[in-house]
Amino acid sequence: MLPARGTDVRRRSAGAHPGCVTSYGLPPYPPPENVAATGRASGGGVPDELSLVLAQAAVSAIESAGGYAGGVYLRSGYPELLRLSVLAGLPTQLFHPWWRMHMNRPFPVAEVYRSGKPVHLADVEEGMRRFPQLMAGMPFPFGSLYMPVFGGREKFGVLVVLRPATPGKPVSHADRRALRDIAQRLGAELAGLAAGGTKVVWDGEPVPVQLPSVTVPPVRIGHFDWDLETGAVDADAELCGILGTEPARFPGTIDGLTALLAPEDVYGLWTLARRAASAGGPVVRRMRLRGPDGRTNLLELSSRWAQPPRSGAAGTLTGFLVDLGAGPVIAEAADRLPRGIFSLDRLGRITYVNQLAEELLGRQRGELVGSLLWEALPWFGHPAYEDHHRAALLSHEPVHFLARRTERDWLAVSLYPGHDGVTAALSATEEPSFPPDAAGPGEVLGSPLESSAGVYRPVALAIALTEAVTARQVSAVVTQELLPAFGGRQLAIYLLHERHLYLAWETGFPHGFLNSFDGVALDARLPGVETLTSGHPMFFESMQRLASAYPGIPLDASVGARAFLPLIASGRPVGSCILGFDQPRGFSPEERTVLTALAGLIAQALKRAQRYDTESAVARGLQNALLPHRLPVLDQVDTAGRYLPGTQGMDIGGDWYDVIETDRGLALVIGDVQGHGVAAAATMGQLRSAVRAFALSGHEPQEVMSGTNRLLIDLDPGQIASCCYIVLDPATGRTQLVRAGHPYPLLRHPDGTTEVLELPGGVVLGVTPDATYPVSRLRLLPGAILALYTDGLVEQAGADIDDGVERLRGIIEAADAPSLVGMADLVIREARREPDRPDDIAVLLAARWVRAQRA
């Protein structure tokens, strides 16, 4: 790490970031004051330590694997969600749909994080075979490598590299090894940051990182020396002139230098400097920097030491800033061409514009150069053009398309990508032969559907719908996949029930606007109703068209288009779907056909979800009837039980708990039948009845478990269940415990300390009729609490169950003990924080008191 300011580096580093010294051997700099909450340095200041470490790893990985882009996904503060923390070599705006990655999605980033194993995709064929949804969203010929990032046993994220496809040629062992080594070093650095108090999570936008670039002919050259010990920078007059400042006003510090640069260039500079400083010998590194006038300059950085690096000397970095200038000869040559020419770097900044491009784009060169493409030319941010830009950047193949700049101006656009950016060629063209209202300004002929990625995104919707189970999941998939595919901003889904349409899902509409349409009858004259009753989709290119067709219909403030799609499955009406757009737009015949077909897929998925919901309601009713509604009230023992259904699938399972007063003492029971749905709930009811019958008959604990095991084998061969059975004598505290493959109970002692009772046990119920179940014994002291639970409370995808048990132990230990009900509520409240729970949860707590304590 490089010192940023001040002179006493040793004194400062001793107290600024404990545990942050990295493998680069340089002292850490103090935390910058101008780091924004997203992790990005604002105003061209010093990057924060976490961002810098991630950026350097991404750049190193891209170079080592021969890639042209890459980044790092990092865990976030939201459970089960990864976020893209840095993106090098690509515009962050174009890849917004991939900023977030849920850990349970069928994408390589999620699989690598869950499994802890790398994934290497050599080409599009391998990608389509293994991860069809990835290629449906980015159907371009590229290769990709994914490596998990661990720090010891702690999982931080995933390192990603994109590179040209190598059809028929697998990823080499050298590239795999290089990427693995970089991921291991990154994991070690992140572990060091975490040990020093830095929270290694990412909840902001990804940091854009500029990659090192190839050289171009110089025009003028500035020089500076950077003293790593003091942070002082000695810059000559030429360098000051390139950066737009007077030599007398230059403060002579690295802060002063970086304050003159763009934020993304600051990350690139610090990354480049650290790599040069840590090389262990003379080395030269290069990258491009943007000057204050927006033009691109070339930075060459080299390292030297007064003594060998191993002696501990910080040394000096020497930099040469090469002003590439306006390129008068090249500019004059480009101005003579009969086509407009402009160029972009790989982050989307405009670096050059010729004279004819100024005329075609309707903007002056000075207004364009140095700006992001989508900010300087907002119409270029249309989803269709974004798809074409992505195609060029990822495939490295030329892309050609038509674009509409204004009501009357059409452009033929060609994108020619390269390692350092994209060159665009423009020429005026005649208006295509399609209806005048079929597209608005900034829209391509038809829609984004006719772009390369648009053809495949409906495929992604179809694949994702097969994985959705509930109506809510189906609606969420439509929001995530359908809206981006067609550039929509609003979605509403209505479901049919007893000849009325009820609102089931909405997003993007003004709050409360759709309330007046909720529950409308099928005889209402509304487009959402008539599209279902007629079975035909309805498309309105603007809100004016909609208002003309349905006078008096309530309208929101939008001026955009609307599409009303009938949801019909196997000839039976299910409901209707409404798509809303912010701007007027046309719907090509191909797009109308695809939307109608997709509406059929959505209807089938919703019909399937309704069947699941119906069965789930039956199962919930069955389980509610089987679970105890009231637990026994005793003088010396308190009990509290809780049940929480899962959020996936049937939302119901075979978990149960029970408290039984027997001649041997108070029996505490908790169990978990494998599977979900009505069958699991029914089996649970039979097992609960069996355990209760054996317990009330006076059997020993091991006999209760053995008898229940044999009964399950007779009732349902192949079904298995786990169980924990405990008999407690309230007067003496003597306790007998038996386990059948169930998670270990927890014991909170009277002083509050809590331990995991690692008791011996037998196999799960239902495996073998000859299974035996050993009995463990302990004495429960007054004030002690036993906690029984099912595995849904402690299991998480991709995580060790021991970590979940330890987390629960901490919750029990930290809880306020006197209220057992409050403790049970706390445990369930913490469990609800997990949005995706594939399994249901049962909890049973028992506390032994003496009469004085209860009083």
Side-chain angles (χ1 to χ4, degrees):
M1 283 154 276
L2 302 175
R5 54 172 71 89
T7 56
D8 190 355
V9 177
R10 295 180 181 85
R11 176 174 57 80
R12 183 178 66 247
S13 63
H17 273 298
C20 288
V21 176
T22 71
S23 59
Y24 302 100
L26 294 175
Y29 45 78
E33 298 175 356
N34 58 340
V35 174
T38 60
R40 295 182 60 178
S42 59
V46 181
D48 66 284
E49 178 66 8
L50 177 59
S51 301
L52 185 57
V53 167
L54 297 170
Q56 178 165 343
V59 173
S60 299
I62 293 166
E63 290 188 340
S64 68
Y68 52 73
V72 180
Y73 280 87
L74 206 64
R75 62 192 184 183
S76 71
Y78 189 80
E80 300 295 317
L81 185 69
L82 300 174
R83 284 186 179 271
L84 184 61
S85 56
V86 298
L87 181 61
L90 291 172
T92 57
Q93 295 93 329
L94 284 187
F95 292 85
H96 189 275
W98 292 272
W99 285 8
R100 297 155 51 97
M101 179 63 62
H102 201 280
M103 296 176 193
N104 66 2
R105 296 301 300 276
F107 287 87
V109 169
E111 178 172 307
V112 168
Y113 188 86
R114 290 194 308 266
S115 68
K117 298 178 181 179
V119 167
H120 306 104
L121 305 176
D123 53 27
V124 66
E125 287 76 14
E126 186 175 4
M128 182 60 76
R129 184 176 65 254
R130 297 182 59 185
F131 299 97
Q133 282 192 248
L134 170 70
M135 303 316 299
M138 294 193 296
F140 315 118
F142 67 95
S144 53
L145 295 79
Y146 308 84
M147 188 66 63
V149 178
F150 286 89
R153 295 186 62 184
E154 189 169 8
K155 194 182 301 184
F156 290 112
V158 178
L159 183 63
V160 182
V161 173
L162 305 182
R163 67 181 199 172
T166 55
K169 183 180 178 182
V171 178
S172 69
H173 291 293
D175 288 344
R176 297 179 186 218
R177 184 170 56 252
L179 193 62
R180 181 197 61 204
D181 292 344
I182 293 170
Q184 289 176 347
R185 289 199 297 271
L186 174 60
E189 290 202 60
L190 295 179
L193 289 174
T198 299
K199 194 174 182 181
V200 184
V201 297
W202 197 270
D203 288 309
E205 298 181 3
V207 170
V209 180
Q210 190 68 272
L211 292 175
S213 175
V214 298
T215 60
V216 293
V219 175
R220 54 179 177 162
I221 301 175
H223 168 267
F224 68 94
D225 288 316
W226 180 356
D227 190 326
L228 301 179
E229 180 71 13
T230 66
V233 173
D234 182 17
D236 64 10
E238 197 74 15
L239 181 100
C240 293
I242 295 174
L243 295 180
T245 187
E246 296 293 333
R249 301 179 61 183
F250 183 69
T253 65
I254 187 60
D255 281 24
L257 177 63
T258 57
L260 301 173
L261 306 178
E264 57 267 36
D265 288 343
V266 175
Y267 284 97
L269 173 62
W270 280 87
T271 298
L272 202 66
R274 292 176 62 159
R275 298 187 68 210
S278 62
V283 67
V284 175
R285 302 286 182 182
R286 295 184 178 91
M287 71 172 290
R288 291 189 177 186
L289 296 178
R290 182 178 59 165
D293 57 356
R295 297 182 307 186
T296 299
N297 305 309
L298 179 68
L299 173 68
E300 180 175 286
L301 206 61
S302 60
S303 58
R304 69 175 187 270
W305 283 264
Q307 46 189 314
R310 60 178 177 273
S311 66
T316 301
L317 294 180
T318 297
F320 294 90
L321 189 61
V322 183
D323 179 14
L324 303 178
V329 176
I330 298 175
E332 289 177 5
D335 284 341
R336 300 188 190 106
L337 294 175
R339 302 184 72 185
I341 304 292
F342 70 89
S343 61
L344 309 167
D345 66 14
R346 289 195 67 88
L347 299 188
R349 285 189 312 218
I350 301 173
T351 57
Y352 172 76
V353 181
N354 77 346
Q355 183 175 330
L356 184 54
E358 286 184 295
E359 299 176 10
L360 293 173
L361 297 175
R363 299 286 300 278
Q364 295 297 313
R365 194 174 313 188
E367 299 175 313
L368 296 173
V369 172
S371 302
L372 286 172
L373 175 64
W374 308 276
E375 294 177 358
L377 304 171
W379 56 270
F380 228 104
H382 188 277
Y385 309 150
E386 289 184 348
D387 278 340
H388 292 308
H389 197 170
R390 271 192 294 269
L393 288 169
L394 294 179
S395 69
H396 279 209
E397 296 291 335
V399 174
H400 313 279
F401 59 96
L402 298 182
R404 187 174 187 176
R405 186 178 71 85
T406 68
E407 287 289 342
R408 298 184 178 181
D409 296 330
W410 284 83
L411 298 175
V413 183
S414 297
L415 302 179
Y416 299 93
H419 181 273
D420 295 325
V422 177
T423 296
L426 310 171
S427 60
T429 187
E430 295 181 357
E431 181 178 347
S433 55
F434 64 94
D437 61 350
E443 292 194 7
V444 74
L445 173 60
S447 73
L449 182 64
E450 297 182 5
S451 66
S452 54
V455 175
Y456 291 87
R457 278 179 171 167
V459 179
L461 172 64
I463 296 172
L465 282 175
T466 63
E467 301 172 355
V469 176
T470 67
R472 184 175 182 83
Q473 290 173 344
V474 171
S475 302
V477 166
V478 175
T479 301
Q480 295 166 5
E481 303 290 351
L482 185 65
L483 286 184
F486 294 88
R489 295 293 183 269
Q490 298 163 318
L491 172 72
I493 293 178
Y494 287 84
L495 296 180
L496 180 65
H497 180 66
E498 296 182 351
R499 297 190 57 78
H500 288 75
L501 286 173
Y502 294 93
L503 183 63
W505 181 274
E506 66 167 306
T507 182
F509 285 93
H511 179 70
F513 172 72
L514 296 178
N515 291 347
S516 60
F517 302 101
D518 193 15
V520 296
L522 290 187
D523 57 359
R525 190 174 185 274
L526 294 170
V529 174
E530 293 186 355
T531 189
L532 180 62
T533 55
S534 68
H536 299 296
M538 305 172 70
F539 301 93
F540 299 93
E541 291 80 4
S542 67
M543 297 300 284
Q544 290 81 1
R545 294 284 185 93
L546 176 60
S548 298
Y550 290 87
I553 186 175
L555 301 175
D556 59 4
S558 173
V559 297
R562 289 286 186 273
F564 297 85
L565 308 175
L567 301 179
I568 300 174
S570 303
R572 297 179 178 273
V574 176
S576 59
C577 176
I578 304 173
L579 296 180
F581 303 85
D582 287 345
Q583 300 295 328
R585 62 169 343 263
F587 297 92
S588 68
E590 295 83 0
E591 186 173 22
R592 295 175 185 232
T593 300
V594 172
L595 279 172
T596 304
L598 291 177
L601 290 177
I602 296 169
Q604 292 284 357
L606 286 170
K607 193 67 176 177
R608 185 177 66 248
Q610 287 178 329
R611 288 196 297 270
Y612 272 105
D613 291 339
T614 300
E615 185 178 351
S616 178
V618 174
R620 278 195 298 269
L622 177 59
Q623 185 166 52
N624 289 335
L626 293 174
L627 285 174
H629 294 277
R630 183 175 57 186
L631 299 179
V633 178
L634 302 176
D635 288 339
Q636 293 175 281
V637 177
D638 279 348
T639 57
R642 295 290 184 272
Y643 173 79
L644 180 66
T647 60
Q648 299 180 14
M650 289 301 303
D651 287 346
I652 199 70
D655 291 19
W656 91 93
Y657 62 85
D658 205 352
V659 178
I660 311 165
E661 293 184 86
T662 74
D663 293 339
R664 294 182 175 274
L666 191 67
L668 309 171
V669 190
I670 194 163
D672 183 2
V673 177
Q674 184 188 50
H676 295 80
V678 173
T683 302
M684 176 270 286
Q686 292 172 314
L687 291 188
R688 176 175 179 256
S689 298
V691 172
R692 176 171 282 269
F694 283 124
L696 292 174
S697 298
H699 287 81
E700 295 282 353
Q702 66 271 29
E703 295 173 345
V704 172
M705 197 66 73
S706 299
T708 305
N709 172 55
R710 289 190 294 271
L711 178 65
L712 177 58
I713 293 174
D714 292 338
L715 286 174
D716 190 357
Q719 180 64 278
I720 63 174
S722 68
C723 186
C724 185
Y725 181 82
I726 298 175
V727 177
L728 167 64
D729 184 341
T732 65
R734 292 190 180 93
T735 306
Q736 296 176 289
L737 308 94
V738 180
R739 274 193 330 111
H742 202 79
Y744 296 128
L746 300 180
L747 173 61
R748 173 172 167 144
H749 297 282
D751 63 358
T753 60
T754 304
E755 65 172 312
V756 179
L757 296 178
E758 297 186 358
L759 309 174
V763 298
V764 293
L765 306 175
V767 174
T768 172
D770 299 326
T772 59
Y773 300 95
V775 178
S776 300
R777 291 174 172 81
L778 60 84
R779 184 169 181 268
L780 197 66
L781 298 176
I785 299 174
L786 277 173
L788 309 179
Y789 53 92
T790 54
D791 55 10
L793 184 61
V794 293
E795 280 188 337
Q796 288 185 348
D800 195 312
I801 191 172
D802 291 340
D803 296 335
V805 173
E806 177 59 27
R807 184 173 60 253
L808 175 61
R809 189 201 64 78
I811 294 172
I812 297 293
E813 186 170 89
D816 292 333
S819 172
L820 203 65
V821 171
M823 183 181 293
D825 290 338
L826 172 64
V827 171
I828 292 298
R829 189 163 58 248
E830 290 295 324
R832 288 184 186 277
R833 295 179 184 273
E834 184 65 35
D836 294 313
R837 299 184 304 276
D839 203 358
D840 49 347
I841 293 169
V843 177
L844 178 61
L845 304 180
R848 179 173 176 253
W849 312 104
V850 296
R851 287 184 175 84
Q853 286 178 305
R854 291 180 62 87

